[in-house]
């Protein structure tokens, strides 16, 4: 067994789901931070177990072909961009390979074409949402990002992946903390008020909302914060989200308006959306359009179809498709998001879209049992990383749609589910990765399935 602090030379062959380089030496699997596939590194063992060890690259002996010096000052310590040591080309080929490996190995689908990943022309400053933890550090109040695998806050003044200008909001909050005496939340004791700073911007409208997640229902002297925020480009409102639970989950259920608007608006193509701070909304506005256009083309709509959009969030895909379909039915589990989806249908004057709240695996069988006339021609699913519940896939198979469009943020669960749908009588026609998250290990994919 290795011992702590031992130095080991290892060549990295793969990368984990959380961004550590994976290599093998002396019969052990090593998970090495700051190392990428193709590197040979000298790594320091941080934690040794029976079959594997956690290590950190201390010296790059032979760099991988795509290795670059990151531009970001907190690269390596911030847990956000795990691929900051890789050129964009190297990141893209990694994501391509990962998608193919999952489809072939987990899905066992040897012949399905995996199309070349759709990439960004300028893979920086793309994010429309920031989520910054607040807490105490040895050097006083800290506002920044979590380090990888921990809740230690790496103080950050600016993130290269967020829209330019967001740093003014962070500066305003920092000033507010200094002048208001607002206490920062402490995860250990559960004391203190400020937990997270959330900000979201509509790329098309440039509207920005700021939301503080608080351990309570109020903050001291909120006007001192609003004074500082209201002059910043695009800021339309400040609100609080109440989260008094001792949990890793960032958001609580209740949102309290303080100043201006709680929501922002944005548009995708010619559809306008209103977005609550607690609702899911794609973080990359440029690639969001690419993703939805791909989903639309795979849905093959002629205008006569009944389409179900499961895991619909605020109804983005539903409304994007509604103009090309007879009827769209969206299902989503977060009540705020369903309220947004309904309001968004109205706002766009789309009367053929309706939304239901609940877990898709529970709501869909109930809806179809009550009204068989709403049997879908096309089903779109866009589940979280864990993929679809098996029972939902079985319900979809029973409903027997002509096509299924599967939008996924995890190629491993996508591949697992494609296998089930494949065995259930559907042919996976093609799989299209779309790079929604440059800098990060995450891969977004759209797959088209047709009934055999
Ligand atoms: N299609 C939307 C949202 C995708 S994210 C868009 O592109 O914006 C996945 C969504 O699934 C989230 O809004 C989440 O709240 C929702 N969700 C998670 N589990 C669910 C379940 N069991 N049933 C229905 N929706 C669920």
């Amino acid at each position: 067994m290795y011992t702590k602090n031992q130095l080991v030379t290892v060549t990295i062959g793969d990368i984990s789901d959380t961004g550590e380089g994976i290599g093998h030496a002396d019969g052990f699997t090593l998970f090495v931070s700051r190392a990428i596939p193709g590197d040979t590194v000298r790594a320091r063992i941080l934690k040794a177990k029976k079959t594997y060890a956690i290590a950190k690259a201390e010296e790059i002996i032979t760099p991988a072909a795509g290795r670059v010096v990151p531009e970001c000052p907190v690269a390596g310590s911030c847990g956000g961009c795990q691929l900051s040591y890789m050129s964009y080309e190297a990141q893209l080929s990694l994501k391509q390979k990962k998608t193919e490996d999952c489809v072939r190995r987990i899905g066992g689908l040897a012949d399905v074409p995996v199309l070349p990943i759709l990439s960004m022309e300028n893979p920086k400053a793309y994010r429309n949402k920031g989520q910054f933890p607040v807490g105490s550090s040895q050097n006083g109040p800290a506002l920044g990002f979590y380090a990888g695998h921990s809740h230690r806050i790496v103080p950050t003044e600016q993130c290269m992946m967020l829209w330019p200008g967001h740093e003014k909001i962070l500066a305003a909050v920092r000033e507010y903390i200094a002048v208001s005496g607002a206490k920062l939340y402490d995860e250990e004791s559960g004391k203190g008020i400020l937990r997270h700073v959330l900000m979201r911007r509509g790329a098309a409208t440039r509207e920005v909302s700021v939301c503080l997640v608080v351990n309570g229902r109020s903050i001291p002297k909120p006007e001192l914060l609003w004074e500082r925020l209201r002059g910043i480009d695009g800021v339309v409102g400040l609100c609080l989200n109440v989260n008094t639970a001792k949990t890793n989950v960032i958001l609580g259920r209740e949102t309290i308006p303080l100043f201006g608007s709680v929501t922002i608006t944005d548009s995708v193509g010619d559809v306008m959306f209103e977005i609550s701070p607690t609702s899911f909304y794609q973080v990359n506005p440029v690639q969001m359009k690419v993703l939805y256009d791909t989903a639309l083309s795979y849905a093959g709509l002629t205008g006569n179809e009944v389409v179900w959009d499961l895991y619909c969030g605020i109804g983005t895909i539903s409304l994007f498709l509604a103009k090309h379909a007879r009827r769209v039915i969206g299902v989503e589990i977060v009540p705020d998001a369903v309220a947004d989806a309904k309001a968004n249908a109205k706002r766009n004057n789309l009367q053929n879209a309706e939304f239901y709240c609940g877990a898709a695996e529970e709501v869909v069988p109930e809806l179809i049992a009550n009204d068989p006339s709403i049997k879908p021609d096309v089903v779109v699913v866009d589940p979280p990383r864990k993929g679809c519940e098996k029972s939902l896939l079985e319900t979809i198979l029973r409903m027997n749609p002509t096509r299924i469009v599967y939008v996924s943020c995890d190629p491993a669960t996508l591949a697992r589910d494609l296998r089930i749908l494949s065995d259930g009588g559907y042919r996976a026609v093609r799989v299209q990765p779309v790079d929604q998250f440059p800098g990060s290990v995450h891969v977004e994919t759209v797959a088209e399935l047709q009934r055999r």
Side-chain angles (χ1 to χ4, degrees), residues 279-282 288 291-292 309-317 331-334 337 358-361 382-384 386 389 407:
S279 297
F280 176 90
Y281 189 55
Q282 293 283 348
M288 168 162 51
L291 185 72
Y292 292 172
D309 178 19
L310 309 179
Y311 308 88
C312 70
I314 61 167
T316 34
I317 296 180
V331 179
E332 159 64 43
I333 204 165
V334 172
E361 59 276 17
D382 184 4
K386 68 175 186 196
E389 289 288 324
V407 183

Short mmCIF file of all heavy atoms in Angstrom, two decimals, residues 279-282 288 291-292 309-317 331-334 337 358-361 382-384 386 389 407, ligand 1:
data_model
loop_
_atom_site.label_atom_id
_atom_site.label_comp_id
_atom_site.label_asym_id
_atom_site.label_seq_id
_atom_site.Cartn_x
_atom_site.Cartn_y
_atom_site.Cartn_z
N SER A 279 -35.78 28.17 -10.68
CA SER A 279 -36.06 27.27 -11.80
C SER A 279 -34.77 26.94 -12.55
O SER A 279 -33.88 27.76 -12.66
CB SER A 279 -37.01 27.93 -12.80
OG SER A 279 -38.24 28.19 -12.21
N PHE A 280 -34.75 25.74 -13.10
CA PHE A 280 -33.62 25.36 -13.95
C PHE A 280 -33.68 26.16 -15.25
O PHE A 280 -34.73 26.32 -15.86
CB PHE A 280 -33.70 23.86 -14.27
CG PHE A 280 -32.62 23.43 -15.23
CD1 PHE A 280 -31.40 23.00 -14.74
CD2 PHE A 280 -32.81 23.51 -16.61
CE1 PHE A 280 -30.38 22.65 -15.62
CE2 PHE A 280 -31.80 23.15 -17.48
CZ PHE A 280 -30.59 22.72 -16.99
N TYR A 281 -32.53 26.62 -15.69
CA TYR A 281 -32.42 27.27 -17.00
C TYR A 281 -31.03 26.97 -17.53
O TYR A 281 -30.05 27.05 -16.78
CB TYR A 281 -32.62 28.79 -16.84
CG TYR A 281 -32.75 29.54 -18.15
CD1 TYR A 281 -33.71 29.19 -19.10
CD2 TYR A 281 -31.90 30.61 -18.43
CE1 TYR A 281 -33.82 29.89 -20.28
CE2 TYR A 281 -32.03 31.32 -19.62
CZ TYR A 281 -32.99 30.97 -20.55
OH TYR A 281 -33.09 31.66 -21.72
N GLN A 282 -30.93 26.57 -18.79
CA GLN A 282 -29.63 26.22 -19.37
C GLN A 282 -28.62 27.35 -19.12
O GLN A 282 -28.98 28.51 -19.22
CB GLN A 282 -29.77 25.99 -20.88
CG GLN A 282 -30.60 24.77 -21.24
CD GLN A 282 -29.85 23.46 -21.05
OE1 GLN A 282 -28.64 23.43 -20.86
NE2 GLN A 282 -30.59 22.37 -21.09
N MET A 288 -27.39 26.68 -25.99
CA MET A 288 -28.79 26.30 -25.72
C MET A 288 -29.58 26.30 -27.03
O MET A 288 -30.35 25.37 -27.31
CB MET A 288 -29.39 27.31 -24.74
CG MET A 288 -30.89 27.22 -24.59
SD MET A 288 -31.51 28.04 -23.10
CE MET A 288 -30.77 29.65 -23.16
N LEU A 291 -28.58 23.33 -29.05
CA LEU A 291 -29.16 22.13 -28.45
C LEU A 291 -30.64 21.99 -28.83
O LEU A 291 -31.10 20.93 -29.27
CB LEU A 291 -29.02 22.21 -26.93
CG LEU A 291 -29.45 21.03 -26.09
CD1 LEU A 291 -28.46 19.88 -26.26
CD2 LEU A 291 -29.52 21.41 -24.62
N TYR A 292 -31.40 23.08 -28.65
CA TYR A 292 -32.84 23.03 -28.93
C TYR A 292 -33.10 22.86 -30.42
O TYR A 292 -34.05 22.17 -30.82
CB TYR A 292 -33.53 24.28 -28.39
CG TYR A 292 -33.54 24.37 -26.87
CD1 TYR A 292 -33.98 25.52 -26.23
CD2 TYR A 292 -33.12 23.31 -26.07
CE1 TYR A 292 -34.01 25.63 -24.84
CE2 TYR A 292 -33.13 23.40 -24.69
CZ TYR A 292 -33.57 24.56 -24.08
OH TYR A 292 -33.59 24.65 -22.71
N ASP A 309 -43.09 16.72 -23.41
CA ASP A 309 -41.76 17.18 -23.02
C ASP A 309 -41.61 16.89 -21.53
O ASP A 309 -42.15 17.60 -20.69
CB ASP A 309 -41.63 18.69 -23.32
CG ASP A 309 -40.28 19.26 -22.90
OD1 ASP A 309 -39.33 18.47 -22.71
OD2 ASP A 309 -40.19 20.50 -22.75
N LEU A 310 -40.89 15.83 -21.22
CA LEU A 310 -40.76 15.39 -19.82
C LEU A 310 -39.48 15.95 -19.22
O LEU A 310 -38.46 16.01 -19.90
CB LEU A 310 -40.78 13.86 -19.76
CG LEU A 310 -41.97 13.24 -20.51
CD1 LEU A 310 -41.94 11.73 -20.44
CD2 LEU A 310 -43.30 13.79 -19.99
N TYR A 311 -39.56 16.37 -17.96
CA TYR A 311 -38.48 17.12 -17.29
C TYR A 311 -38.35 18.48 -18.00
O TYR A 311 -37.28 18.85 -18.44
CB TYR A 311 -37.14 16.38 -17.35
CG TYR A 311 -37.18 14.96 -16.89
CD1 TYR A 311 -37.48 13.92 -17.77
CD2 TYR A 311 -36.88 14.64 -15.57
CE1 TYR A 311 -37.50 12.61 -17.34
CE2 TYR A 311 -36.89 13.33 -15.14
CZ TYR A 311 -37.20 12.30 -16.04
OH TYR A 311 -37.20 11.00 -15.62
N CYS A 312 -39.47 19.19 -18.10
CA CYS A 312 -39.52 20.35 -19.01
C CYS A 312 -39.01 21.64 -18.41
O CYS A 312 -38.90 22.64 -19.12
CB CYS A 312 -40.94 20.53 -19.52
SG CYS A 312 -42.08 21.10 -18.26
N GLY A 313 -38.69 21.69 -17.10
CA GLY A 313 -38.22 22.95 -16.52
C GLY A 313 -39.25 24.05 -16.73
O GLY A 313 -40.45 23.86 -16.51
N ILE A 314 -38.81 25.22 -17.18
CA ILE A 314 -39.72 26.35 -17.39
C ILE A 314 -40.40 26.29 -18.76
O ILE A 314 -40.96 27.28 -19.22
CB ILE A 314 -39.00 27.69 -17.22
CG1 ILE A 314 -37.87 27.82 -18.26
CG2 ILE A 314 -38.43 27.84 -15.82
CD1 ILE A 314 -37.31 29.23 -18.37
N GLY A 315 -40.30 25.13 -19.41
CA GLY A 315 -41.00 24.95 -20.68
C GLY A 315 -40.23 25.41 -21.90
O GLY A 315 -40.82 25.64 -22.96
N THR A 316 -38.93 25.54 -21.75
CA THR A 316 -38.13 26.04 -22.88
C THR A 316 -38.28 25.16 -24.12
O THR A 316 -38.65 25.64 -25.18
CB THR A 316 -36.64 26.12 -22.48
OG1 THR A 316 -36.36 25.06 -21.58
CG2 THR A 316 -36.32 27.44 -21.81
N ILE A 317 -38.01 23.85 -23.96
CA ILE A 317 -38.10 22.98 -25.14
C ILE A 317 -39.55 22.87 -25.59
O ILE A 317 -39.85 22.97 -26.78
CB ILE A 317 -37.51 21.58 -24.83
CG1 ILE A 317 -36.00 21.70 -24.52
CG2 ILE A 317 -37.75 20.61 -25.98
CD1 ILE A 317 -35.31 20.39 -24.21
N VAL A 331 -44.10 18.14 -18.43
CA VAL A 331 -44.17 17.65 -17.04
C VAL A 331 -42.87 18.00 -16.33
O VAL A 331 -41.77 17.76 -16.86
CB VAL A 331 -44.41 16.12 -16.98
CG1 VAL A 331 -44.46 15.64 -15.53
CG2 VAL A 331 -45.68 15.74 -17.72
N GLU A 332 -43.00 18.56 -15.13
CA GLU A 332 -41.83 19.04 -14.38
C GLU A 332 -42.13 18.95 -12.89
O GLU A 332 -43.25 19.19 -12.45
CB GLU A 332 -41.55 20.49 -14.82
CG GLU A 332 -40.73 21.34 -13.88
CD GLU A 332 -39.31 20.82 -13.66
OE1 GLU A 332 -38.64 20.42 -14.64
OE2 GLU A 332 -38.87 20.84 -12.50
N ILE A 333 -41.11 18.68 -12.09
CA ILE A 333 -41.30 18.42 -10.67
C ILE A 333 -41.26 19.67 -9.79
O ILE A 333 -41.84 19.69 -8.70
CB ILE A 333 -40.27 17.35 -10.19
CG1 ILE A 333 -40.76 16.62 -8.95
CG2 ILE A 333 -38.90 17.97 -9.94
CD1 ILE A 333 -39.98 15.34 -8.66
N VAL A 334 -40.58 20.75 -10.23
CA VAL A 334 -40.45 21.95 -9.40
C VAL A 334 -41.63 22.90 -9.65
O VAL A 334 -41.82 23.36 -10.78
CB VAL A 334 -39.11 22.68 -9.67
CG1 VAL A 334 -39.04 24.01 -8.96
CG2 VAL A 334 -37.94 21.79 -9.26
N ALA A 337 -41.05 26.23 -11.42
CA ALA A 337 -40.73 26.06 -12.84
C ALA A 337 -42.02 25.84 -13.64
O ALA A 337 -42.18 26.40 -14.73
CB ALA A 337 -39.76 24.90 -13.04
N GLY A 358 -45.16 17.49 -11.13
CA GLY A 358 -45.00 16.22 -10.44
C GLY A 358 -43.85 15.44 -11.04
O GLY A 358 -43.23 15.89 -12.01
N ALA A 359 -43.57 14.29 -10.44
CA ALA A 359 -42.51 13.43 -10.97
C ALA A 359 -43.01 12.78 -12.24
O ALA A 359 -44.11 12.22 -12.26
CB ALA A 359 -42.14 12.36 -9.95
N ALA A 360 -42.24 12.86 -13.30
CA ALA A 360 -42.68 12.35 -14.60
C ALA A 360 -43.12 10.89 -14.50
O ALA A 360 -44.14 10.49 -15.07
CB ALA A 360 -41.55 12.50 -15.62
N GLU A 361 -42.36 10.10 -13.72
CA GLU A 361 -42.67 8.66 -13.64
C GLU A 361 -44.01 8.41 -12.97
O GLU A 361 -44.62 7.36 -13.17
CB GLU A 361 -41.53 7.90 -12.93
CG GLU A 361 -41.20 8.35 -11.50
CD GLU A 361 -40.24 9.54 -11.43
OE1 GLU A 361 -40.06 10.24 -12.45
OE2 GLU A 361 -39.68 9.78 -10.35
N ASP A 382 -35.56 15.15 -20.94
CA ASP A 382 -34.33 15.91 -20.63
C ASP A 382 -34.07 15.79 -19.13
O ASP A 382 -34.17 16.76 -18.39
CB ASP A 382 -34.53 17.37 -21.06
CG ASP A 382 -33.27 18.21 -20.86
OD1 ASP A 382 -32.22 17.65 -20.47
OD2 ASP A 382 -33.34 19.43 -21.10
N PRO A 383 -33.75 14.57 -18.66
CA PRO A 383 -33.66 14.34 -17.21
C PRO A 383 -32.36 14.89 -16.62
O PRO A 383 -31.43 15.20 -17.35
CB PRO A 383 -33.67 12.82 -17.11
CG PRO A 383 -33.04 12.35 -18.37
CD PRO A 383 -33.44 13.35 -19.43
N PRO A 384 -32.29 15.00 -15.28
CA PRO A 384 -31.03 15.33 -14.62
C PRO A 384 -30.02 14.19 -14.82
O PRO A 384 -30.33 13.18 -15.45
CB PRO A 384 -31.40 15.46 -13.15
CG PRO A 384 -32.86 15.29 -13.04
CD PRO A 384 -33.39 14.81 -14.33
N LYS A 386 -28.93 11.67 -13.33
CA LYS A 386 -29.19 10.26 -13.03
C LYS A 386 -30.05 9.58 -14.09
O LYS A 386 -30.29 8.38 -14.02
CB LYS A 386 -29.79 10.10 -11.64
CG LYS A 386 -31.17 10.67 -11.52
CD LYS A 386 -31.76 10.38 -10.14
CE LYS A 386 -33.18 10.84 -10.16
NZ LYS A 386 -33.89 11.01 -9.00
N GLU A 389 -36.12 7.35 -14.73
CA GLU A 389 -36.55 6.19 -13.95
C GLU A 389 -36.89 5.07 -14.93
O GLU A 389 -37.51 5.32 -15.96
CB GLU A 389 -37.82 6.53 -13.16
CG GLU A 389 -37.63 7.47 -12.03
CD GLU A 389 -36.90 6.85 -10.86
OE1 GLU A 389 -37.12 5.66 -10.59
OE2 GLU A 389 -36.10 7.57 -10.23
N VAL A 407 -32.57 14.18 -24.52
CA VAL A 407 -31.56 15.20 -24.24
C VAL A 407 -30.94 14.83 -22.90
O VAL A 407 -31.66 14.60 -21.93
CB VAL A 407 -32.19 16.61 -24.16
CG1 VAL A 407 -31.13 17.68 -23.94
CG2 VAL A 407 -33.00 16.92 -25.42
N1 LIG B 1 -35.77 20.80 -20.45
C1 LIG B 1 -35.49 21.87 -19.52
C2 LIG B 1 -35.02 21.43 -18.14
C3 LIG B 1 -33.99 20.33 -18.09
S1 LIG B 1 -33.20 20.09 -16.52
C4 LIG B 1 -34.53 22.85 -20.14
O1 LIG B 1 -33.88 22.56 -21.12
O2 LIG B 1 -34.41 23.96 -19.62
C5 LIG B 1 -34.07 18.80 -15.80
C6 LIG B 1 -35.36 19.21 -15.14
O3 LIG B 1 -35.95 18.02 -14.59
C7 LIG B 1 -35.23 20.17 -13.98
O4 LIG B 1 -36.08 21.27 -14.22
C8 LIG B 1 -35.71 19.35 -12.75
O5 LIG B 1 -36.41 20.13 -11.82
C9 LIG B 1 -36.64 18.35 -13.40
N2 LIG B 1 -36.86 17.06 -12.71
C10 LIG B 1 -36.01 16.37 -11.92
N3 LIG B 1 -36.55 15.19 -11.57
C11 LIG B 1 -37.78 15.12 -12.14
C12 LIG B 1 -38.81 14.13 -12.17
N4 LIG B 1 -38.69 12.98 -11.53
N5 LIG B 1 -39.92 14.39 -12.90
C13 LIG B 1 -40.06 15.56 -13.57
N6 LIG B 1 -39.10 16.52 -13.58
C14 LIG B 1 -37.98 16.31 -12.88
#
